[in-house]
């Protein structure tokens, strides 16, 4: 099937089979290899991209379903969090980092919109403290265990 | 594995596509179906994408209830103002499920129809009567820490994985279903089936039916409701035990009680026995424990998941205690 996707602000036309994930289309057909394949089953968050500003796991997204949506990958990101992560040692091998960054950008927007999390008490959405950040970012695993740095960097740009 | 794909422009097209061919599957957010197709567990010849159908609205109902379109994303359901104020238990249940990314993709209808996360269901080398009808159940006698203790049969002990559905069961939600034959309304208690000797038949829906909406009735006591989930890690894991509860208390006596359990049932488990015991009794830990024991008397456990009985008792008591006006959140007195 021929589909048109909007990726990082530009229109892309590509030929895909229906079973091709958005992740594989990005990496294999468009050469956007910043988005990583970890588990390929929605469990690790390494493939996180933004669809119309909302974070999704691109491994469970069929490319054909995302025609007409604005997709943002790490290649289209220019955000203070990137520098903050370097300063806070928020990565070691870096494999989960693009997903962490896209996820955090989506998360900050959700918080700004007043969306609660599982640890928000009495539905009162307050500032992003460490507990809130850890809960809201739990869909992104880091096998190097750089969580402390990741939380610190997010806290810095959220504050 | 290859399949053909159709993006349905309207409900009628989607309904005709599933009516014409049993090997056609409806695709919503994809968080479960895409994974199961990749694992070779679901093998549809054709996939009909329903995400462009106009079923994404949340509406206030004149009787004080709320109507939720089947394609509302889980994150939008949790964030909705009406849901947050009238049914806090539902917002909390949704937020305790999956990850933020998955909640942004998953739909309400898809969440209701998600399949079990039993390890043996996913393991193609294992016997599983859900995956291969009549092949038995390797979870029985196997690693069954995550398996159910209520509603099980000798053919299947798989736990239902949904958090959202536990809150919906507690709220007596009604599921609106359409097919080319018409529209019908299914009370949530009648949507999921116990495994019995046909564990592969998980719901009372026909293969050509589409969930179009979920209606939440007015449940005044739900304004005082909570969802509590216990799991192996603090976030992003399926429930070992979860409790959805709403409680009305006057002068120290329970005047209204609703309770449902997750992680322990083969379907979202409405705890009607416990509700019966609670009503009219003092709102105390002792009363809550009697109610828990009444519900759990029917539990059938394995050596691996026997702990869920005690865990469920304690979680039920702890959840109800928080719903008592000026309730304590401290160590149990029992």
């Amino acid at each position: 099937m021929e589909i048109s996707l909007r990726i990082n602000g530009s229109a892309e036309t590509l030929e895909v089979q229906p079973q091709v994930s958005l992740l594989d289309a990005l990496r294999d057909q468009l050469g956007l290899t910043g988005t990583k394949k970890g588990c390929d089953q929605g469990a690790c968050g390494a493939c996180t991209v933004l669809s119309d500003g909302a974070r999704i796991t691109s491994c469970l997204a069929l490319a054909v379903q995302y025609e007409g949506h604005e997709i943002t990958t790490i290649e289209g990101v220019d955000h203070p969090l990137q520098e903050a992560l370097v300063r806070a040692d928020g990565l070691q091998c870096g494999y989960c980092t693009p997903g962490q960054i896209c996820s955090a950008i989506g998360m900050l927007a959700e918080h700004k919109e007043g969306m609660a999390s599982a640890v928000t008490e009495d539905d009162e959405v307050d500032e992003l403290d460490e507990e809130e950040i850890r809960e809201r970012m739990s869909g992104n695993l880091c096998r190097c265990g750089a969580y402390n740095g990741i939380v610190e960097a997010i806290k810095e740009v959220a504050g | 594995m290859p399949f053909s794909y159709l993006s349905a422009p309207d409900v009628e097209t989607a309904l005709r596509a599933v009516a014409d061919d049993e090997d056609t599957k409806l695709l919503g957010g994809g968080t479960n179906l895409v994974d199961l197709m990749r694992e070779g567990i679901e093998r549809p010849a054709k996939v009909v994408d329903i995400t462009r159908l106009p079923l994404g609205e949340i509406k206030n109902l004149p009787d004080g209830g709320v109507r939720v379109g089947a394609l509302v994303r889980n994150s939008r359901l949790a964030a909705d103002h009406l849901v947050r104020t009238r049914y806090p238990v539902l917002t909390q249940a949704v937020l305790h499920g999956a990850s933020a990314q998955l909640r942004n993709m998953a739909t309400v209808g898809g969440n209701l129809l998600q399949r079990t996360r039993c390890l043996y269901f996913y393991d193609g080398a294992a016997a599983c009567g859900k995956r291969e009808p009549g092949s038995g159940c390797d979870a029985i006698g196997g690693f069954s820490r995550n398996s159910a203790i209520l509603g099980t049969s000798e053919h299947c002990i798989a736990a239902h994985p949904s958090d959202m559905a536990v809150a919906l069961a507690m709220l007596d939600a009604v599921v609106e279903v359409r097919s080319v034959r018409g529209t019908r309304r299914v009370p949530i208690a009648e949507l999921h089936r116990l495994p019995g000797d046909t564990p592969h038949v998980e719901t009372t829906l026909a293969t050509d039916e589409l969930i179009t909406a979920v209606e939440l009735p007015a449940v005044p006591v739900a304004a005082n409701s909570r969802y509590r989930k216990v799991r192996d890690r603090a976030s992003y894991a399926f429930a070992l035990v979860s409790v959805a509860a709403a409680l009305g208390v006057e002068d120290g006596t329970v005047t209204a009680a609703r309770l449902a359990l997750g992680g322990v049932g083969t379907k979202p488990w409405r705890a009607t026995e416990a509700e019966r015991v609670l009503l009219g009794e003092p709102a105390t830990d002792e009363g809550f424990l009697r109610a828990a024991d009444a519900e759990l008397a029917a539990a059938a456990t394995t050596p691996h998941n026997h702990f869920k009985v005690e865990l469920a008792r304690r979680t039920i008591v702890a959840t109800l205690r928080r719903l008592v006006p000026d309730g304590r959140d401290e160590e149990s007195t029992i």
Side-chain angles (χ1 to χ4, degrees):
Chain A
M1 297 175 64
E2 188 178 278
I3 59 165
S4 308
L5 297 173
R6 285 196 62 79
I7 315 280
N8 299 328
S10 65
E12 305 279 355
T13 302
L14 59 164
E15 181 71 27
V16 292
Q17 295 293 308
Q19 71 270 21
V20 172
S21 67
L22 178 59
L23 171 63
D24 285 345
L26 290 169
R27 288 182 56 84
D28 299 343
Q29 291 186 255
L30 297 171
L32 295 170
T33 54
T35 306
K36 299 296 188 250
K37 183 183 282 193
C39 66
D40 211 23
Q41 54 180 11
C44 78
C47 68
T48 302
V49 299
L50 300 169
S51 169
D52 300 326
R55 47 183 171 158
I56 62 167
T57 47
S58 61
C59 72
L60 291 181
L62 299 183
V64 287
Q65 287 198 286
Y66 285 79
E67 195 153 28
H69 295 268
E70 178 69 46
I71 305 297
T72 305
T73 69
I74 190 66
E75 289 87 349
V77 168
D78 182 8
H79 193 281
L81 178 61
Q82 291 160 296
E83 294 284 339
L85 272 171
V86 174
R87 276 196 300 277
D89 270 341
L91 65 152
Q92 284 183 41
C93 81
Y95 198 80
C96 75
T97 310
Q100 300 278 2
I101 292 169
C102 288
S103 182
I105 292 170
M107 184 273 284
L108 292 170
E110 290 162 10
H111 179 255
K112 200 170 173 185
E113 212 188 299
M115 290 167 78
S117 84
V119 298
T120 308
E121 271 300 320
D122 300 323
D123 206 38
E124 284 174 22
V125 180
D126 218 337
E127 70 180 68
L128 281 173
D129 59 17
E130 180 168 339
E131 187 190 16
E132 282 279 357
I133 292 170
R134 285 182 184 273
E135 164 59 28
R136 290 170 188 260
M137 292 296 293
S138 68
N140 291 82
L141 305 186
C142 169
R143 290 293 74 161
C144 302
Y147 294 111
N148 290 342
I150 294 167
V151 171
E152 191 184 319
I154 293 174
K155 219 169 169 180
E156 185 190 318
V157 298
Chain B
M1 86 276 51
F3 52 83
S4 67
Y5 171 88
L6 169 74
S7 178
D10 51 56
V11 172
E12 288 68 28
T13 305
L15 295 181
R16 273 199 308 276
V18 278
D20 288 347
D21 183 1
E22 269 194 19
D23 275 343
T24 299
K25 277 271 177 191
L26 299 169
L27 175 67
T31 55
N32 194 208
L33 182 57
V34 169
D35 185 36
L36 291 172
M37 288 195 291
R38 202 168 282 153
E39 294 286 336
I41 297 167
E42 295 275 11
R43 293 171 206 161
K46 185 174 189 174
V47 163
V48 176
D49 183 358
I50 55 172
T51 55
R52 289 182 173 85
L53 302 182
L55 302 172
E57 273 192 273
I58 299 178
K59 287 184 204 159
N60 187 22
L61 294 176
D63 66 354
V66 173
R67 179 182 166 90
V68 182
L71 293 176
V72 170
R73 307 290 171 160
N74 284 195
S75 50
R76 287 291 136 200
L77 175 67
D80 182 77
H81 180 70
L82 288 173
V83 174
R84 279 164 81 158
T85 48
R86 291 182 191 170
Y87 315 101
V89 66
L90 180 54
T91 286
Q92 291 170 18
V94 171
L95 292 176
H96 278 83
S99 67
Q101 290 96 317
L102 297 176
R103 294 193 292 271
N104 280 338
M105 303 171 79
T107 64
V108 167
N111 188 324
L112 278 174
L113 297 182
Q114 68 177 301
R115 308 204 59 191
T116 186
R117 263 48 178 207
C118 179
L119 299 172
Y120 299 96
F121 175 68
Y122 270 85
D123 177 1
C128 173
K130 273 194 188 297
R131 189 163 29 75
E132 297 289 339
S135 68
C137 173
D138 274 352
I140 298 172
F143 183 78
S144 50
R145 175 177 174 76
N146 298 309
S147 303
I149 59 173
L150 293 167
T152 58
S153 76
E154 59 184 290
H155 302 280
C156 181
I157 60 171
H160 195 276
S162 176
D163 292 294
M164 181 196 79
V166 176
L168 293 183
M170 193 210 90
L171 294 167
D172 280 328
V174 174
V175 181
E176 185 188 88
V177 177
R178 274 185 69 181
S179 71
V180 290
R181 289 163 286 129
T183 303
R184 64 187 186 106
R185 293 162 58 80
V186 183
I188 184 132
E190 295 167 22
L191 179 71
H192 298 100
R193 292 166 46 118
L194 295 177
D197 57 7
T198 54
H200 60 290
V201 187
E202 294 174 344
T203 72
T204 54
L205 302 188
T207 55
D208 67 344
E209 287 183 310
L210 164 71
I211 295 177
T212 46
V214 173
E215 288 196 359
L216 306 167
V219 182
V221 71
N224 184 41
S225 62
R226 289 189 80 85
Y227 189 77
R228 187 156 180 162
K229 181 174 180 179
V230 183
R231 41 190 162 175
D232 275 331
R233 58 184 183 196
S235 182
Y236 198 18
F238 290 98
L240 292 169
V241 169
S242 70
V243 176
L247 198 68
V249 179
E250 280 172 38
D251 300 328
T253 300
V254 176
T255 54
R258 287 183 180 234
L259 195 71
L261 307 175
V264 292
T266 51
K267 60 183 260 184
W269 199 263
R270 182 72 179 268
T272 49
E273 279 301 310
E275 291 178 3
R276 197 177 49 75
V277 172
L278 285 169
L279 211 56
E281 287 294 306
T284 61
D285 284 3
E286 291 74 15
F288 299 155
L289 198 57
R290 275 197 299 278
D293 285 338
E295 191 64 44
L296 295 163
T301 63
T302 69
H304 283 154
N305 68 19
H306 188 72
F307 72 95
K308 286 189 174 185
V309 175
E310 184 58 29
L311 190 60
R313 295 173 88 222
R314 295 183 191 201
T315 312
I316 290 169
V317 172
T319 311
L320 290 170
R321 186 193 298 144
R322 284 289 299 271
L323 294 169
V324 178
D326 304 316
R328 297 148 295 132
D329 186 21
E330 57 205 41
E331 286 303 301
S332 168
T333 55
I334 301 169

